[in-house]
């Protein structure tokens, strides 16, 4: 592969990684906000009930992250279009 192709792929991966990090940060903030305003009610009581609340929080976080995925995909495709899809062809 030519250095230009490697650079194009590296920049695309870096951009998608940055966007995924931003999306995960926003999903975490939304999850914490929903816990604080009691949209997501966590049980209080025995330690087993509190332990079983972790999967509920994780699912809530994943759903919030999934809502941001179309934006990541759209920005990545627009970035690849801006560079030119031919720049990503290794042959």
């Amino acid at each position: 592969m030519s250095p230009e192709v490697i650079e194009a792929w590296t920049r695309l991966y870096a951009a998608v990684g940055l966007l995924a990090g931003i999306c995960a940060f926003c999903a975490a903030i939304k999850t914490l906000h929903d816990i604080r305003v009691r949209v997501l009610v966590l049980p209080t009581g025995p330690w087993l009930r509190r332990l079983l609340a972790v999967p509920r929080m994780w699912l809530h976080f994943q759903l919030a992250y999934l809502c941001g995925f179309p934006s990541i995909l759209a920005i990545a495709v627009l970035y690849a279009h801006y560079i030119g899809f031919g720049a990503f062809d290794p042959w």
Side-chain angles (χ1 to χ4, degrees):
M1 290 192 336
S2 68
E4 294 84 16
V5 173
I6 293 172
E7 182 180 352
W9 278 106
T10 303
R11 287 185 179 192
L12 181 64
Y13 281 132
V16 169
L18 178 66
L19 290 170
I22 292 170
C23 188
F25 178 73
C26 291
I29 292 212
K30 181 188 181 305
T31 302
L32 292 174
H33 175 72
D34 288 347
I35 291 171
R36 185 169 184 190
V37 297
R38 312 285 288 166
V39 171
L40 178 62
V41 179
L42 299 178
T44 57
W47 65 272
L48 184 59
R49 289 193 62 195
R50 286 184 286 172
L51 182 65
L52 292 176
V54 173
R56 181 183 296 170
M57 286 187 330
W58 181 251
L59 179 64
H60 194 81
F61 169 80
Q62 289 295 320
L63 290 174
Y65 182 82
L66 188 62
C67 290
F69 175 73
S71 299
I72 293 173
L73 183 63
I75 292 171
V77 169
L78 288 172
Y79 179 72
H81 176 58
Y82 172 73
I83 289 182
F85 291 110
F88 296 97
D89 188 14
W91 312 114

